[in-house]
């Protein structure tokens, strides 16, 4: 068959692969020996920055994430570097002022990022406007992403509407971001068909192997005409990561969707990362053998979060209430307006469910839950019952506008704070690191900037 419509692949081994299976502990030195080889494979992009890598560099690896980006860019001369950005949350857990978002995007592109995938936990497009415009202005490929989830308020039409809004905002491509591995093969086929019929930019699919369906989902999406998919080289694939690059490349060989990538080229690179994974497991005492867990299809809770919640219950001496927690989680999610369970909404929903089971329903309500209910994170997919809103936030004002409109510019005050802490000549990059993770960044500066 002639190679008419090659499926393009984004390699995630340098970001989501090790974030999913090795607690984001891969170091720049682990990547360096094979960067030129990766650059020559023929990937559409290599995802290597954003997500949890920024925090992990500063917090655990004593590395400057900006320096990592510049180093990667020196070696990846042909293949764009892709990053994951949480819209107005940038890479943190709260909304930042527009000037921080803009500056961060400009600096990311200037330091080497070529593709920016931008999403919002609630699929509230207002939270993506500033980041998408800035990325466009900076000259990056702007990928608008919607978070895939299952609820009575999420269907093909609702996802299509978000995708159209993202194209309106200037998205160069659209990504279906399935962070929990919930997207079933035939549903993927229909969703991709729907998007392809109505939208004139490439459609990209990102999923995780968590439920065990990911390779089948990719195959049906490819049959439906998806343009780009995310894969990880085999040592950092499967489990809660992506399908294996080599397997997908092999599966499509000789078809009209042949990727054009030579699988033999991937084997020595995979061998390198096999050794890296073993070493990371030993150095950081990690369990990298993560099983698939089909229960995610019922609870929609990513596997890592389930084990965290179980540990919390054990620490409180309430491990016997764990089955109750699993039943409480979907109930809380429905009451909170069916947010997709992705950072930070997964943590907010999970901790509320845990409090309810341990202390009684809504006896204690964390500030983040109140903020979610009153609209501080944006618009929830389903309207929240007014009675429930009153019970949770009383007479606190409800936010119906874009939440970041309430945040005054922050860059000047952040510079000022850093100067007062002994860093009067901090680079813009250091100011941004401090903006996102103040305590962690200061600790890093003490060691590396004196």
């Amino acid at each position: 068959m002639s190679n008419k419509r090659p499926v393009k692949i984004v390699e995630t081994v340098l970001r989501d692969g090790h974030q999913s299976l090795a607690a984001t502990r891969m170091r720049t030195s682990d990547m360096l020996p094979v960067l030129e080889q990766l650059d020559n494979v023929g990937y559409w992009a290599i995802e290597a920055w954003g997500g949890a890598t920024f925090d992990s560099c500063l917090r655990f690896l004593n590395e400057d994430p900006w320096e990592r980006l510049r180093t990667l860019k020196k070696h990846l001369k042909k293949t764009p570097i892709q990053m994951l950005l949480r819209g107005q949350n940038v890479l943190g857990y709260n909304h930042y002022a527009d000037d921080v978002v803009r500056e961060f995007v400009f600096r990311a592109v200037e330091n080497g990022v070529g593709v920016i995938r931008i999403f919002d936990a609630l699929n509230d497009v207002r939270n993506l406007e500033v980041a998408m415009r800035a990325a466009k202005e900076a000259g990056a490929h702007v990928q608008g992403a919607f978070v895939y989830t299952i609820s009575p308020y999420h269907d093909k039409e609702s996802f299509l509407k978000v995708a159209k809004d993202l194209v309106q905002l200037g998205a160069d491509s659209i990504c279906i971001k399935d962070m929990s591995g919930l997207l079933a093969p035939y549903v993927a086929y229909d969703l991709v068909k729907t998007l392809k019929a109505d939208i004139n930019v490439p459609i990209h699919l990102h999923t995780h192997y968590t439920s065990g369906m990911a390779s089948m989902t990719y195959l049906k999406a490819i049959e439906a005409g998806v343009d780009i998919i995310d894969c990880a080289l085999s040592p950092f694939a499967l489990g809660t990561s992506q399908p294996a690059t080599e397997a997908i490349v092999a599966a499509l060989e000789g078809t009209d969707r042949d990727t054009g990538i030579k699988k033999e080229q991937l084997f020595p690179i995979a061998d390198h990362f096999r050794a890296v994974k073993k070493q990371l497991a030993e150095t950081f005492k990690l369990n990298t053998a993560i099983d698939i867990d089909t229960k995610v299809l019922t609870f929609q809770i990513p596997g890592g979060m389930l084990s965290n919640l179980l540990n919390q219950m054990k620490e409180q001496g309430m491990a016997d209430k764990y089955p109750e927690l699993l039943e409480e989680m979907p109930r809380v999610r429905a009451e909170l307006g069916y947010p997709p369970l992705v950072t930070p909404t997964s943590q907010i929903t999970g901790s509320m469910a845990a409090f309810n089971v341990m202390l009684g329903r809504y006896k204690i309500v964390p500030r983040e839950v109140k903020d979610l209910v009153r609209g501080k994170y944006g618009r929830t997919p389903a309207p929240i019952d007014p009675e429930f809103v009153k019970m949770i936030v009383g007479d606190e004002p409800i936010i119906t506008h874009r939440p970041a409109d309430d945040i005054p510019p922050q860059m000047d005050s952040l510079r000022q704070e850093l100067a007062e802490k002994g860093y009067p000549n901090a680079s813009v990059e250091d100011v941004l690191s401090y903006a996102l993770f103040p305590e962690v960044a200061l600790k890093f500066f003490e060691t590396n900037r004196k």
Side-chain angles (χ1 to χ4, degrees):
M1 273 190 203
S2 66
N3 186 7
K4 290 195 287 282
R5 293 179 304 135
V7 174
K8 298 181 175 79
I9 290 184
V10 169
E11 177 55 64
T12 68
V13 71
L14 302 186
R15 203 286 296 176
D16 207 358
H18 70 102
Q19 181 171 320
S20 297
L21 299 184
T24 330
R25 293 298 195 276
M26 199 188 288
R27 299 153 296 200
T28 307
S29 57
D30 300 320
M31 306 172 183
L32 276 170
V34 289
L35 291 179
E36 274 81 6
Q37 283 168 272
L38 283 169
D39 199 24
N40 286 322
V41 166
Y43 292 120
W44 185 75
I46 295 172
E47 192 194 47
W49 213 60
T53 60
F54 198 96
D55 184 8
S56 186
C57 276
L58 292 168
R59 195 185 297 266
F60 302 115
L61 304 177
N62 194 37
E63 282 192 33
D64 183 340
W66 299 99
E67 194 48 53
R68 170 179 291 189
L69 177 55
R70 289 189 286 271
T71 302
L72 292 171
K73 185 62 190 157
K74 267 186 213 136
H75 296 273
L76 299 171
K77 294 190 165 78
K78 295 186 259 190
T79 315
I81 294 172
Q82 178 174 305
M83 80 163 291
L84 180 67
L85 189 81
R86 299 181 191 133
Q88 206 71 30
N89 290 10
V90 190
L91 298 173
Y93 303 103
N94 307 300
H95 283 192
Y96 295 92
D98 291 346
D99 65 337
V100 172
V101 177
R102 284 176 59 80
E103 196 60 71
F104 189 92
V105 169
F106 287 144
R107 292 292 159 165
V109 174
E110 199 172 289
N111 282 281
V113 169
V115 179
I116 306 187
R117 176 180 294 167
I118 307 173
F119 79 99
D120 174 66
L122 295 174
N123 287 331
D124 186 339
V125 174
R126 298 172 306 171
N127 293 334
L128 304 177
E129 287 170 13
V130 172
M132 285 180 70
R133 290 207 178 102
K136 201 88 180 151
E137 229 176 288
H141 175 105
V142 184
Q143 185 167 89
F146 63 79
V147 175
Y148 178 81
T149 188
I150 300 168
S151 86
Y153 288 83
H154 292 89
D155 54 23
K156 275 188 310 196
E157 286 65 38
S158 68
F159 292 129
L160 177 62
K161 185 190 176 313
V162 179
K164 282 179 164 173
D165 289 347
L166 293 170
V167 171
Q168 249 352 108
L169 274 179
D172 298 305
S173 59
I174 292 294
C175 176
I176 304 163
K177 180 176 163 54
D178 173 27
M179 65 284 166
S180 300
L182 301 174
L183 184 57
Y186 289 94
V187 180
Y189 183 89
D190 286 345
L191 181 56
V192 171
K193 275 280 191 218
T194 301
L195 293 170
K196 291 293 290 180
D198 243 323
I199 282 173
N200 228 350
V201 300
I203 305 298
H204 193 144
L205 176 56
H206 165 91
T207 189
H208 286 251
Y209 227 94
T210 317
S211 67
M213 296 194 294
S215 291
M216 296 181 277
T217 296
Y218 274 177
L219 214 47
K220 290 309 291 180
I222 288 164
E223 286 174 15
V226 84
D227 299 283
I228 315 164
I229 53 175
D230 283 3
C231 299
L233 282 163
S234 53
F236 284 95
L238 312 186
T240 47
S241 178
Q242 280 78 50
T245 315
E246 305 96 307
I248 295 290
V249 166
L252 297 175
E253 271 178 3
T255 72
D256 66 341
R257 306 297 323 263
D258 192 319
T259 62
I261 291 171
K262 299 280 169 280
K263 62 181 182 298
E264 293 74 17
Q265 223 178 328
L266 301 173
F267 299 157
I269 313 174
D271 288 342
H272 167 78
F273 284 115
R274 203 162 284 116
V276 166
K277 183 177 170 186
K278 191 166 179 281
Q279 193 201 13
L280 292 182
E282 287 164 7
T283 307
F284 296 106
K285 309 284 182 282
L286 302 170
N287 169 29
T288 57
I290 297 171
D291 295 331
I292 63 165
D293 184 0
T294 313
K295 288 200 295 290
V296 73
L297 297 173
T298 304
F299 305 122
Q300 297 203 24
I301 310 170
M305 195 179 156
L306 277 173
S307 51
N308 280 344
L309 288 169
L310 179 57
N311 285 338
Q312 280 172 29
M313 304 293 275
K314 277 180 183 158
E315 281 163 21
Q316 301 300 321
M318 292 189 169
D320 57 319
K321 291 195 175 232
Y322 185 63
E324 278 176 58
L325 175 72
L326 293 182
E327 282 172 31
E328 180 65 3
M329 189 88 180
R331 209 174 299 146
V332 169
R333 182 177 177 235
E335 288 162 341
L336 295 179
Y338 288 104
L341 297 180
V342 66
T343 303
T345 48
S346 52
Q347 289 84 343
I348 294 169
T349 310
S351 60
M352 190 66 256
F355 278 128
N356 281 358
V357 167
M358 294 190 288
L359 308 167
R361 298 201 88 223
Y362 300 105
K363 291 283 187 281
I364 284 185
V365 180
R367 163 54 49 199
E368 290 81 2
V369 175
K370 292 182 178 179
D371 285 345
L372 180 65
V373 168
R374 68 188 195 90
K376 199 174 172 184
Y377 289 93
R379 202 184 289 118
T380 53
I384 302 177
D385 182 328
E387 290 297 306
F388 182 81
V389 173
K390 192 149 186 55
M391 176 181 89
I392 299 295
V393 299
D395 297 323
E396 284 190 45
I398 302 303
I399 298 167
T400 54
H401 51 269
R402 186 182 76 107
D405 287 343
D406 293 337
I407 309 172
Q410 293 170 315
M411 283 301 287
D412 287 346
S413 56
L414 289 162
R415 268 191 203 95
Q416 186 61 39
E417 275 176 44
L418 261 187
E420 284 162 15
K421 291 182 192 299
Y423 303 99
N425 304 314
S427 66
V428 181
E429 284 83 356
D430 279 354
V431 175
L432 290 164
S433 298
Y434 174 71
L436 299 187
F437 302 105
E439 283 139 38
V440 178
L442 281 176
K443 216 169 152 193
F444 176 81
F445 296 156
E446 274 164 33
T447 314
N448 298 279
R449 296 285 185 268
K450 285 293 186 207

